[in-house]
């Protein structure tokens, strides 16, 4: 029997329900556990953490909307992550972690062997928290790192913190998806991110919705997309003071890049099937192929 999912939203969970959940975790019959916005006692939260620690099948853990509500729960979750080896995606959106809570959680996050997707949106983070997150974006591929990162709605981060993140993104060897929507970034930070995107070999999706950008940012991003090879395929600029014309120009350029990559992929397939086809290598160019979002680990997108 393949592992299934337990998805509960906004409910007050009884002790009996928690026991059933924990039993399923220990029996390795759960791949996705989502307790989004649920109410459970301190004791029951501890039981869930111990069940997650023991599970070998759990791949996605959603504790969005305030479940990790205090330092004691952060500590229990950290202990679970130190033992667990299977979780690939961790959702903590809307948890009042603050930098202090993330500092307690970070050692477990940094050594986890499978974690590739992390949602810390609306977690009351500041610059110190961003510095910790940068450590989860290793530059050389020597160790596993995040492929998908959500930092939406953390207005306590300053331009200095976002600049530090931009540098980490530029050198990250694995990051594919970065969601920074609803942060007051402004044009200065957008310029830093444009440089990061131009430098990154892997970033495919950048969400800048509602981040206080203007046409100045859009023009910088347009120049980046037009003049530099990039893996970027999706750039979200909604709810900014940017003209529809500039947004359309950027979208068209990204679409053209995707079409060119698909054409190159077909040509590579043809050459593999027909190895006798001659190639003129004098003008050949190395093209880094990146996967799309169809296999995204962030299967649950609602916050």
């Amino acid at each position: 029997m393949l592992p299934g999912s337990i998805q509960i939203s906004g409910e007050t969970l009884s002790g009996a329900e928690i026991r059933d959940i924990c039993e399923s975790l220990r029996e390795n019959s759960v791949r996705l556990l989502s307790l989004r916005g649920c109410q459970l006692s301190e004791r029951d939260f501890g039981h869930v953490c111990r069940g997650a620690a023991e599970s070998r099948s759990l791949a996605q853990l959603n504790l969005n909307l305030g479940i990790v509500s205090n330092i004691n729960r952060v500590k229990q979750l950290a202990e679970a992550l130190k033992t667990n080896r299977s979780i690939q995606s961790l959702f903590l959106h809307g948890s009042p972690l603050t930098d202090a809570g993330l500092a307690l959680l970070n050692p477990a996050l940094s050594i986890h062997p499978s974690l590739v997707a992390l949602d810390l949106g609306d977690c009351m983070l500041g610059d110190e928290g961003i510095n910790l997150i940068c450590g989860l974006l290793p530059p050389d591929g020597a160790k596993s790192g995040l492929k998908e990162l959500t930092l939406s709605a953390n207005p306590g981060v300053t331009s200095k913190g976002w600049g530090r993140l931009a540098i980490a993104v530029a050198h990250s060897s694995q990051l594919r998806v970065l969601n920074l929507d609803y942060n007051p970034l402004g044009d200065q930070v957008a310029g830093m991110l444009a440089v990061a995107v131009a430098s990154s070999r892997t970033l495919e999706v950048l969400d800048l919705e509602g981040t206080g950008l203007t046409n100045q940012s859009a023009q910088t991003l347009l120049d980046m997309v037009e003049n530099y090879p990039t893996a970027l395929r999706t750039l979200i600029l909604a709810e900014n003071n940017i003209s529809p014309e500039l947004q359309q120009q950027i979208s068209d350029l990204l679409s053209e890049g995707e079409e060119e990559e698909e054409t190159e992929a077909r040509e590579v397939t043809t050459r593999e099937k027909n190895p006798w086809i001659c190639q003129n290598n004098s003008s050949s160019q190395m093209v880094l192929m990146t996967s799309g979002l169809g296999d995204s680990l962030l299967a649950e997108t609602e916050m």
Side-chain angles (χ1 to χ4, degrees):
M1 180 178 177
L2 294 174
S5 66
I6 298 175
Q7 301 185 61
I8 309 172
S9 182
E11 300 289 336
T12 298
L13 300 178
S14 66
E17 290 172 316
I18 293 297
R19 284 193 293 273
D20 289 342
I21 291 171
C22 292
E23 183 177 351
S24 297
L25 287 169
R26 287 191 293 270
E27 291 176 350
N28 299 310
S29 60
V30 179
R31 179 172 176 79
L32 165 62
L33 174 60
S34 175
L35 303 179
R36 181 177 178 272
C38 290
Q39 301 293 321
L40 61 163
S41 69
E42 294 295 315
R43 181 180 179 182
D44 285 343
F45 182 84
H47 289 324
V48 170
C49 285
R50 286 190 287 276
E54 296 175 21
S55 176
R56 298 188 303 275
S57 64
L58 185 62
Q60 296 190 33
L61 178 60
N62 185 330
L63 301 175
N64 281 352
L65 301 185
I67 294 182
V68 186
S69 56
N70 55 56
I71 289 296
N72 184 54
R73 292 192 177 195
V74 172
K75 291 178 180 177
Q76 293 184 81
L77 178 59
E79 288 301 314
L81 291 172
K82 287 178 182 177
T83 303
N84 176 275
R85 291 291 179 269
S86 63
I87 292 175
Q88 299 171 27
S89 302
L90 177 63
F91 301 81
L92 300 177
H93 199 107
S95 302
L97 288 181
T98 72
D99 290 350
L102 184 57
L104 292 173
L105 197 59
N106 185 65
L109 297 175
S110 62
I111 65 171
H112 197 283
S114 302
L115 187 68
V116 293
L118 180 63
D119 185 344
L120 295 176
D122 193 18
C123 283
M124 302 173 63
L125 301 180
D127 289 356
E128 292 182 11
I130 294 298
N131 285 338
L132 295 173
I133 291 167
C134 289
L136 304 177
L137 304 175
D140 55 8
K143 63 176 182 177
S144 60
L146 296 178
K147 294 182 179 179
E148 305 189 15
L149 174 62
T150 296
L151 294 171
S152 314
N154 280 294
V157 181
T158 71
S159 59
K160 181 179 179 181
W162 293 127
R164 176 72 179 85
L165 180 70
I167 293 171
V169 170
H171 295 285
S172 172
S173 59
Q174 300 180 53
L175 190 66
R176 293 192 298 115
V177 179
L178 178 60
N179 299 309
L180 299 179
D181 47 313
Y182 299 105
N183 285 298
L185 303 181
D187 291 332
Q188 180 184 6
V189 173
M192 300 180 199
L193 291 170
V195 175
V197 172
S199 301
S200 171
R201 295 172 296 172
T202 59
L203 190 68
E204 299 175 15
V205 178
L206 178 60
D207 187 350
L208 299 177
E209 180 175 358
T211 51
L213 308 189
T214 70
N215 283 345
Q216 177 182 332
S217 299
Q219 188 62 57
T220 300
L221 292 164
L222 176 62
D223 291 343
M224 178 270 297
V225 172
E226 190 171 23
N227 297 307
Y228 294 91
T230 172
L232 194 68
R233 296 293 169 261
T234 302
L235 177 60
I236 302 172
L237 296 172
E239 295 192 34
N240 286 297
N241 189 23
I242 297 174
S243 69
E245 292 79 13
L246 274 174
Q247 292 196 49
Q248 189 61 52
Q249 283 181 272
I250 294 171
S251 178
D252 290 345
L253 283 171
L254 291 174
S255 298
E256 288 176 10
E258 189 169 359
E259 291 171 1
E260 290 174 1
E261 191 168 272
E262 290 174 354
T263 300
E264 177 71 16
R266 286 194 294 269
E267 291 175 353
V268 169
T269 301
T270 301
R271 289 197 296 269
E272 289 175 349
K273 290 182 178 180
N274 302 279
W276 56 84
I277 294 178
C278 295
Q279 301 178 49
N280 180 3
N281 292 326
S282 60
S283 60
S284 64
Q285 189 175 31
M286 182 177 292
V287 178
L288 179 67
M289 302 301 293
T290 55
S291 62
L293 293 178
D295 60 344
S296 172
L297 290 170
L298 298 181
E300 181 172 351
T301 57
E302 59 177 347
M303 300 302 178

